[in-house]
Every structure is written in structure tokens, then in C-alpha cells.
Amino acid sequence: GAVVSQHPSRVICKSGTSVKIECRSLDFQATTMFWYRQFPKQSLMLMATSNEGSKATYEQGVEKDKFLINHASLTLSTLTVTSAHPEDSSFYICSARPVQGQREQYFGPGTRLTVT
Amino acid sequence: AQTVTQSQPEMSVQEAETVTLSCTYDTSESDYYLFWYKQPPSRQMILVIRQEAYKQQNATENRFSVNFQKAAKSFSLKISDSQLGDAAMYFCAYSLYAGGTSYGKLTFGQGTILTVHP
């Protein structure tokens, strides 16, 4: 149990275009999902906290107009990178916290974004 | 703000031996969780072990155990009988215990790359 999926696993897009990354909790409901960014051999940096039915809370320094987050249901959150540029190339990871029970959050397998 | 520090960028261990990864953190809170996560080459984050700050007893999970020193704000991970599959990047992480907007947010350390030699 407690599986989180991300789609796509890899995406290449041209500079100036937008790309959407989906995060789904497959076998549990999650009121809260988190989006992280990770550069090679570096730590995970929290970008935003996504709560179902409400606006996401962004960490300091994260451009909310560039990284649009929508948490429309208890099993799906999306991250849209708008007007992507090469510096947005990174590994994006989501995690989901169950509504009840466990204190852990469960991580998706990540999405590698390359902007050319 | 909470910070987590892992001062060992890389560690290595011989198969079947024991290795300890270090982690220190800074917080003004009294109730929180501490975690060790493993990230193998697949990049999938895997929870290794969790410690509640209010528990004095150190958490153990099979070959993995922690040494939690709350006063010193230290949280080290000991891996016994190391296996080749333990090779990964290990992250120490902190999360607040109580509710509120910060609940569940993980603050990660810089990570330690563990190499296991056969």
C-alpha cells in the first residue's frame, strides 16, 4: 500500500513552453501533497505544500506564477512549470500525506525535466 | 527556522561491517519527528527509520538503528551488517509534530553518499 505515482517520469520541452507534472496517490487519500526540487547529488528542497481544495503554500523564493500547483482532488496534485527555461531543468519529486493514520509521507518516483 | 546538517558528504563501508552516519539539527520546538530516508540510484525516496522526539528510546528497524540525543540535537544512523543494497544517498530529515501549516513539512539535510565495498 501507500503508493504514489508521478507522470511523466521524464520530459523534455523547449524553452518558453509549459509542462505539467502529475502526482497521484494510488491507494489512499491525501489532503496534503508536497512538491520538492532536487539538483544532482543535492538535497531535496521543498517548493510548496499543496492542500486539496485550497491554494498552495509556496516556500520563500519560489515563484508561484512560474510553478502553478493545483490539488483538485484527494488523490491528484499537479505542478505546471510555465514558460520553462533551461535553469528549470531539475528532478521534481512529490510526496503525499494520508488523511488519517500514518505520520509519514510517501514519495513519488520523481520526474526529470529537461528544458532545451 | 529549523535546520538539518549532515557533515559527511561521503562515507564508505565494507560489506558486513557497521557504519554510522551523522546528523545534527537545530530547532526551538520540543515536539517533532526525525527521519532517515534512503535514496538509491533509482531516486525513489525510501523511509528507513523514524524517531519521535518525545520518545527516549532509540528507534530500531532490523539492521538500522538510531542514536537520538535530544539535548545535543544529534540523530545518527547506524547500519549494521552492511549490504551492497545499502549503497545510496541517505538524508536526515526533520518535521514538526504538531498540527498547523508547518505540519508534515520535511526539512532535509544535505545528504551522505554511502558506498558499500564488497
Side-chain angles (χ1 to χ4, degrees), chain A residues 9-20:
Chain A
S9 57
R10 295 172 177 262
V11 58
I12 300 173
C13 70
K14 292 188 181 299
S15 186
T17 62
S18 296
V19 61
K20 180 185 288 187

Side-chain angles (χ1 to χ4, degrees), chain A residues 59 66 73 85-86 90 107 115:
Chain A
E59 295 299 301
K66 181 167 191 61
S73 75
H85 291 285
S90 189
F107 286 82
V115 184

Side-chain angles (χ1 to χ4, degrees), chain A residues 34 36 38-44 46 49 59 91 93 97 102-105 107-109 112, chain B residues 33 35 37 39 42-45 47 50 52 54 89 91 103-106 108-111 113:
Chain A
F34 303 91
Y36 297 87
Q38 185 181 30
F39 291 106
K41 295 193 176 182
Q42 293 189 24
S43 187
L44 281 73
L46 180 65
T49 302
E59 295 299 301
F91 194 69
I93 304 174
R97 185 168 62 86
Q102 295 97 336
R103 291 145 289 189
E104 291 89 358
Q105 53 188 269
F107 286 82
R112 181 178 301 283
Chain B
Y33 294 112
F35 305 85
Y37 282 91
Q39 189 180 42
S42 68
R43 309 286 295 265
Q44 174 71 57
M45 296 289 284
L47 177 65
R50 180 188 73 236
E52 289 90 341
Y54 66 86
M89 193 154 186
F91 292 99
Y103 180 65
K105 287 172 54 173
L106 286 170
F108 287 92
Q110 301 90 328
I113 298 173

Side-chain angles (χ1 to χ4, degrees), chain A residues 31-78:
Chain A
T31 52
T32 305
M33 291 183 172
F34 303 91
W35 287 95
Y36 297 87
R37 183 174 182 176
Q38 185 181 30
F39 291 106
K41 295 193 176 182
Q42 293 189 24
S43 187
L44 281 73
M45 298 300 296
L46 180 65
M47 299 174 65
T49 302
S50 166
N51 292 293
E52 187 266 338
S54 63
K55 289 185 178 181
T57 302
Y58 291 83
E59 295 299 301
Q60 192 172 4
V62 177
E63 299 176 63
K64 59 182 67 176
D65 293 332
K66 181 167 191 61
F67 298 99
L68 301 179
I69 292 172
N70 184 13
H71 192 160
S73 75
L74 285 173
T75 60
L76 174 64
S77 176
T78 59

Side-chain angles (χ1 to χ4, degrees), chain B residues 54-117:
Chain B
Y54 66 86
K55 290 186 177 179
Q56 293 194 349
Q57 186 173 4
N58 290 324
T60 62
E61 286 287 342
N62 301 313
R63 299 182 294 108
F64 300 88
S65 61
V66 298
N67 183 4
F68 173 48
Q69 301 290 327
K70 191 172 184 179
K73 296 180 182 175
S74 169
F75 183 61
S76 61
L77 174 70
K78 185 172 81 171
I79 306 174
S80 304
D81 186 25
S82 296
Q83 300 175 359
L84 295 177
D86 295 334
M89 193 154 186
Y90 286 80
F91 292 99
C92 179
Y94 165 101
S95 173
L96 271 179
Y97 179 84
T101 58
S102 296
Y103 180 65
K105 287 172 54 173
L106 286 170
T107 300
F108 287 92
Q110 301 90 328
T112 298
I113 298 173
L114 177 66
T115 302
V116 181
H117 298 289

